Every structure is written in structure tokens, then in C-alpha cells.
Amino acid sequence: LSDRPGEFDLIAKYFAPLAAGNPGALGLTDDAATLDPGPGNSIVVTADALVEGVHFLPDDPADSVASKLLRVNLSDLAAMGAEPMVYLITMALPRDWREDWVAAFAGGLASDQDEFSILMAGGDTVSTPGPLTLSLTAIGRVPAGSELRRTGAQPGDHLWVSGTVGDAGLGLRVLKGDLDGLSDPDRAYLIDRFRRPRPRVALGDRLRGIATAAIDVSDGLVADLGHICDCSKVGAAIHAGAIPLSPAARAAVDQGTATLAGIATAGDDFELLFTAPEGMGAHLREIARASGIEIAAIGSVGEGDGVRLLDEDDTEIALESRGFRHF
Amino acid sequence: LSDRPGEFDLIAKYFAPLAAGNPGALGLTDDAATLDPGPGNSIVVTADALVEGVHFLPDDPADSVASKLLRVNLSDLAAMGAEPMVYLITMALPRDWREDWVAAFAGGLASDQDEFSILMAGGDTVSTPGPLTLSLTAIGRVPAGSELRRTGAQPGDHLWVSGTVGDAGLGLRVLKGDLDGLSDPDRAYLIDRFRRPRPRVALGDRLRGIATAAIDVSDGLVADLGHICDCSKVGAAIHAGAIPLSPAARAAVDQGTATLAGIATAGDDFELLFTAPEGMGAHLREIARASGIEIAAIGSVGEGDGVRLLDEDDTEIALESRGFRHF
């Protein structure tokens, strides 16, 4: 470990290249970075932290940890309808950090920067006696006043979700050795869904002015819909049979190792959950096609409060847990 | 510990009030926050992390930890000449976190929000098996293109520093039981300087258009001047006898328990170090008076590279270390 680079060499070697396309980052050599959102735009900011052993596993590949860190924040920007601009990372590195880990981590960031059109603007690297602890602040922009909020859902609105639900939770179960009977490709697919969220930035960008409320599914479908209901002062019902499932999740349900109730309360999917007025279906499907992202209508908004999960007879399905608790 | 609030209650009780004056924070109940820098302004962003046992001591009062976390970032904004706007915090709380600690931490933030005109915009609270780990991103604004950089120092410029140098490093020595012979008031003063930096925001704001380069002193006077020299491709000399000392630091030097070389390489002072053309002294002193912050001329910029610390005979003083290494 004695050949490891010091802080400034580490920044110059691995992180400054990630800021190379961003003139406001000043080569990561100044006290702070500058950023110009352009006339008429508001800045959108969000931050999330990940801790080794809590949010990712010690064996997770470094590039997938980088992806997860960046993408959970990109998902928050997507849920606001914001266009990504820059991000800042703070890393608390454990005593035994290895340079090849940092190199792979930076490689994961570089790859995602290309995919999501975002650049590094700064950060901080420190030492910790504890586990690897990462924090990322993502900054985007929206035309002023047009950001997607959680507050606008109305009774009568339809409820939509992107992609497929439950995969990340099942992937974590596979990694923990707690889900048997699936094929190797299905197992690999679910693990990748856990490790590498797909933030729906291209969809969120197109939902501005159409969706009445939006959130990304991080705590679980039921819990996050509950946040929309609380903020919008409405209730909502999800038709369990309409929840979009991947072939791998469908296989687990068919084999009886997963339930729709479990899938509706599993976290970490980072799909977009949104509400839109009735009659917007055709337009929304066109938008989804343009984004290259599938969407599905899964329920509706009503008066009252709280979230109900309904079976095919419109009977409420009892839930053991409402979603992920952070501590 | 079983009565501790959950994540959402913790946010609602202690952190949402810190965002109450910031309509763009959306009550900390949405996916992200919005921010409008106003026409003609650029955003300035910076992030720093603090780890218990590394950057602050387990016994440091919670409100002073909050102050340090916010103020080290405010100091970076000051070094860019930026006006503070909002901040985001991510907290990784150890398993045995206590609600009264969080309450005192939030109280420290509230007090500093008033002092420095900054508001909370968001963040994340997670759990860690390791030590308390804090990360803060501060966001400010400057008229576009007018930010203070490290790159503009010219041979012939004079070198200035705000406040007094070396106090924080001596305060850390007091806390570690490694500095004897000082009076109780001097010890208390130095400890407070270590725990509670004074970011020179009011001075940085007034230095735009006047200072040719600026940095905040976090790694130590010599090391940070070295950063300016590297970025500006110049050399510099500090007159050790001109370094402004507090009465407490002066007492330690007079007693022989501290040296000017040690003071010039101690970190964590968070004073502003800046360069300005010759002949600006009267104007700079007027600006300093208006800011309520003392400044001192401590040396000059020349051709070449590197930093020399000179005694009263202009003989170079040998340095054991060039400044703080982060790991």
C-alpha cells in the first residue's frame, strides 16, 4: 500500500480527467467550481450517500458502485424532470484502500458520464477508520418553474410506472443467497438491476408539463406512492396484476419464491412513478417510445389518503411492510 | 435508543425547519431542490467531508461540528468571492447515534445559517457501522466571470492574508494535550479557532476584481500558497515576521512551544490568502475595514516557482513539512 498516490496525485490521475470537458470545474485545482445554468433556467440539486455494507456489498465491483452512486442521484434529477449538468463526490476511503479500486471506480464514472451527459465538478477525498463512505451531489437544470413535483396528483389521475418493478430487491436476495430456483441468466439480470439502476432521465425530461406528480421508486412502489399521496393530499390504488415485471421477476412469482406484495414494497428500483390526467395514455406512450423507455398504467388516484394494493377482484392485499426503512 | 425518530421524522423535526426560508427546498419533501441564481450570475459549488476521529474529535460539541462542516465549505465559497445561497448535507450516523446530538447539530446549523445568510436545500441521512461521517455541498453565486481564481498571481504582486495564522493547529495541539504553558483563556481561544473556523465571506465578496488570485488556508499557509504558485506559474516569498499572530499564538512562540515554521505549515485556519498588485494597500485596507476583517501584507510574488519562508535577514527558514496531508 506504500506506493499509493497521495490526495493530489489521486485527483490529478483519476478525477481531473472526469472534469476535463467541464471548463467550470477549473481542472479540480481551485477552491470550488462554477456553473452557468443559462438564461431562464433554475438549478436542481440533490444529494445521496452510500455506505459499504449498508447500501452496497464489499464484493460489488468498483465500477458498479460508482454507477450506483451517480445513478441514484440521476434518478432524483429524472424525477424532477431535470437535465443533468455536473456532480460533486466526497469519498471517505478506508485505511486499506487500493489504487486499482479507485481506478475502476473512476472508470465507472467515466462510462456513466458519457451515457448521461454529466461531468464532474469537484469533491473531496478523505480517510476514514470505518467503511468506504460515498456522497454525491448532482446538479441539473430545468426551465424555471417547470420542475416535476410530488404535489400535483389529482383524484381521477392515472398512475404510471416506467420499466419493471421489484428487480433490484430480488437481485439483493440473489446476492444474499436468499432466492433459489432461477436460471443463471435470470439471476445475473436481477443482480445487475440491483447494482446498476437505470435512471429514467430521458423520460423525466419529456414528462415536464404532462405529469401532475412524479417520484423515483427508491423506498418501494407502495412507500413512494405514499409520498406522492401525502404531498398531494390524495389516496391511490395499485392494481397488483398491472405491475410490470421482468421475465426474471415473473419466473420468481410463478415459482412462488416472490409475491406481488413483496415486489410492491421492495426498494432500489429507481423507476419513475408518476401521475397524469386520464386520457393522456396515447400521448404518454408516444413520449415513452421517444425516450426508449417502457411505461405501464398501474392504477389510479382518488380522494382520501394512503395507498392500497388490489388483487384482480379489487380486494386489498395485506402488506407486511410498507417499504424500506433507512435506519 | 428505541425511542429515536425514524428518518422521515428526523428530517421533519430537525432539518425541515432549516429549509423553511428556502421555497426551492420544497420542505425537504421532494426528490430534489430548485435554486435560481438570478440573471447574469454563475453558480459556485464546493463539497467537503468530515469524519469523526479524523477531522473532528468525538468529544467536540455537536454544534461546533455542524459549524465546522458548514464553515469549511463557506470558506471555499469565500475564496471564490461567492455569495452563499444554499447547502446540502449527507450524514452517515453511527449505530449509537443520539437524538440530542442531532438536535444540537441542527442548532449549530441554524445559528450559522443566520450568520452567513445560507439555507438548507436538501441532503440524505443514512446509517453506518463506522464513525459519524458528514459531507456538505455549498452552493453560492457570483456575477458570471468574476469569480476569484488561483491562476492570476503575477510577479510583483503583494501577498496578503486575513485574520491570524496558526491558531487552529495550536488549538488541535491543546486538545491533544501537546501544548503546555498557556493561560486558560489562550487555550480556550485556540480550541475555538480549531473547532469553529471564521470563513471570510464578507472579505471574499469584496475582493472580486481586485485580488489577482485567492485561496483559503486549509492545508497550511506554505502549502496553500504553493497551490497559487502552481496554478499561476509563479514563485512567492513569505516574511515569517509579518505573519499575523493572535496573542495566544504569540505567547506560544514567545514561550518556545511553537515556531513560525510550524505556524506557517499548520492547517485548518480557513483564512483568505490572496495576491493583489502593488499599490493596492490603502484600497485593500479600506475593503478589510468595511468587511470587519483584518488583513496583513506578508510577502510578495516573484518569477520562478515554489514558496520560500524568510526570516528577518531574508534567509530561508527550513521546513520539516510542507503542510497537511489528507492521507
Side-chain angles (χ1 to χ4, degrees):
Chain A
L1 301 182
S2 58
D3 287 339
R4 297 183 312 191
E7 179 185 24
F8 297 115
D9 292 336
L10 199 67
I11 292 167
K13 191 166 174 186
Y14 296 111
F15 297 120
L18 299 173
N22 176 9
L26 311 175
L28 303 186
T29 62
D30 219 300
D31 296 285
T34 65
L35 179 71
D36 188 344
N41 288 321
S42 287
I43 290 287
V44 178
V45 290
T46 184
D48 275 303
L50 300 183
V51 179
E52 183 180 295
V54 180
H55 304 91
F56 61 93
L57 304 174
D59 291 340
D60 284 347
D63 63 332
S64 82
V65 174
S67 269
K68 186 150 194 171
L69 178 65
L70 184 56
R71 291 176 180 209
V72 297
N73 282 288
L74 285 170
S75 184
D76 282 322
L77 292 187
M80 299 293 281
E83 175 194 355
M85 296 182 70
V86 300
Y87 66 96
L88 300 93
I89 285 186
T90 63
M91 303 180 67
L93 292 172
R95 303 273 192 233
D96 61 349
W97 71 274
R98 296 174 55 94
E99 185 173 357
D100 57 355
W101 193 94
V102 173
F105 181 82
L109 292 174
S111 165
D112 275 4
Q113 287 192 181
D114 287 345
E115 183 167 349
F116 295 102
S117 299
I118 190 167
L119 291 164
M120 182 175 275
D124 191 20
T125 311
V126 300
S127 177
T128 178
L132 176 64
T133 304
L134 303 163
S135 176
L136 189 142
T137 298
I139 304 181
R141 63 179 170 188
V142 290
S146 74
E147 70 276 3
L148 297 175
R149 301 272 302 275
R150 296 179 180 178
T151 48
Q154 298 284 337
D157 281 355
H158 286 196
L159 189 60
W160 298 80
V161 73
S162 65
T164 56
V165 176
D167 294 329
L170 294 174
L172 179 58
R173 286 182 54 197
V174 171
L175 283 169
K176 288 182 163 172
D178 178 34
L179 183 61
D180 294 326
L182 293 176
S183 70
D184 283 349
D186 280 352
R187 295 164 58 87
Y189 170 83
L190 293 173
I191 290 171
D192 188 61
R193 286 278 287 167
F194 170 73
R195 286 186 174 155
R196 213 177 293 268
R198 277 75 161 164
R200 304 307 191 179
V201 173
L203 178 62
D205 182 57
R206 290 175 169 87
L207 289 176
R208 289 196 313 272
I210 298 161
T212 51
I215 192 170
D216 68 322
V217 180
S218 55
D219 295 339
L221 192 62
V222 168
D224 287 311
L225 180 55
H227 297 322
I228 285 184
C229 288
D230 289 349
C231 291
S232 297
K233 302 187 195 321
V234 295
I238 299 169
H239 297 288
I243 296 173
L245 300 184
S246 67
R250 172 64 64 196
V253 170
D254 289 346
Q255 292 170 16
T257 54
T259 64
L260 291 176
I263 278 169
T265 53
D268 271 1
D269 277 319
F270 299 102
E271 296 292 350
L272 275 191
L273 174 67
F274 60 97
T275 58
E278 197 180 350
M280 298 296 286
H283 186 41
L284 285 169
R285 288 184 198 286
E286 198 175 299
I287 283 172
R289 212 161 19 240
S291 312
I293 296 165
E294 304 262 327
I295 60 171
I298 58 167
S300 57
V301 177
E303 306 280 352
D305 57 26
V307 176
R308 290 176 308 139
L309 183 66
L310 304 177
D311 68 13
E312 59 264 41
D313 303 319
D314 281 355
T315 304
E316 190 165 351
I317 301 173
L319 299 174
E320 274 181 45
S321 121
R322 308 293 295 185
F324 183 71
R325 272 178 63 91
H326 296 252
F327 54 81
Chain B
L1 302 182
S2 58
D3 287 340
R4 298 184 312 192
E7 179 185 22
F8 297 115
D9 291 337
L10 198 67
I11 293 167
K13 192 166 173 187
Y14 295 111
F15 297 120
L18 299 173
N22 176 9
L26 310 176
L28 304 186
T29 62
D30 219 300
D31 296 285
T34 65
L35 180 68
D36 188 344
N41 287 321
S42 286
I43 289 287
V44 178
V45 289
T46 184
D48 275 304
L50 299 183
V51 180
E52 183 180 295
V54 179
H55 304 91
F56 60 94
L57 303 174
D59 291 341
D60 284 348
D63 63 332
S64 82
V65 174
S67 270
K68 186 149 196 174
L69 177 65
L70 183 57
R71 290 175 181 209
V72 296
N73 282 288
L74 286 169
S75 184
D76 283 321
L77 292 186
M80 299 291 282
E83 174 194 355
M85 295 182 72
V86 301
Y87 66 96
L88 300 93
I89 285 186
T90 63
M91 305 180 68
L93 293 172
R95 303 268 192 241
D96 61 347
W97 70 274
R98 296 173 55 95
E99 185 172 357
D100 58 355
W101 193 95
V102 174
F105 181 83
L109 292 175
S111 166
D112 275 4
Q113 288 192 181
D114 287 346
E115 184 166 348
F116 295 101
S117 300
I118 191 167
L119 290 165
M120 182 175 275
D124 191 21
T125 311
V126 299
S127 177
T128 178
L132 176 63
T133 304
L134 303 163
S135 177
L136 190 143
T137 297
I139 303 180
R141 64 179 169 189
V142 290
S146 73
E147 70 275 3
L148 297 176
R149 300 272 301 274
R150 296 179 180 177
T151 48
Q154 298 283 338
D157 282 356
H158 286 196
L159 188 61
W160 298 80
V161 71
S162 65
T164 57
V165 175
D167 294 329
L170 295 174
L172 179 59
R173 286 181 54 196
V174 171
L175 284 169
K176 289 181 162 173
D178 177 35
L179 184 61
D180 294 327
L182 293 176
S183 69
D184 284 347
D186 280 352
R187 296 165 57 87
Y189 170 83
L190 294 172
I191 290 172
D192 188 61
R193 284 279 286 167
F194 170 73
R195 286 185 173 154
R196 213 178 294 268
R198 278 71 160 166
R200 303 308 191 179
V201 174
L203 178 61
D205 182 56
R206 290 175 170 85
L207 288 176
R208 289 197 313 273
I210 298 159
T212 51
I215 192 170
D216 68 323
V217 180
S218 55
D219 295 340
L221 192 62
V222 169
D224 288 310
L225 181 54
H227 298 320
I228 285 183
C229 288
D230 289 347
C231 292
S232 297
K233 303 188 193 322
V234 295
I238 300 169
H239 297 288
I243 296 174
L245 300 183
S246 67
R250 173 64 63 197
V253 170
D254 289 347
Q255 293 171 15
T257 54
T259 65
L260 290 177
I263 278 169
T265 53
D268 269 2
D269 276 320
F270 299 99
E271 295 293 350
L272 276 190
L273 174 67
F274 60 97
T275 57
E278 197 182 352
M280 298 295 286
H283 186 41
L284 285 169
R285 289 184 197 286
E286 199 175 297
I287 283 173
R289 213 162 19 242
S291 313
I293 296 164
E294 305 262 327
I295 60 172
I298 59 167
S300 57
V301 177
E303 307 280 353
D305 57 25
V307 176
R308 292 175 307 140
L309 183 66
L310 304 177
D311 69 12
E312 58 265 39
D313 303 319
D314 281 354
T315 303
E316 189 166 350
I317 300 173
L319 299 174
E320 275 181 46
S321 121
R322 308 294 295 186
F324 183 70
R325 271 180 64 91
H326 296 250
F327 54 81

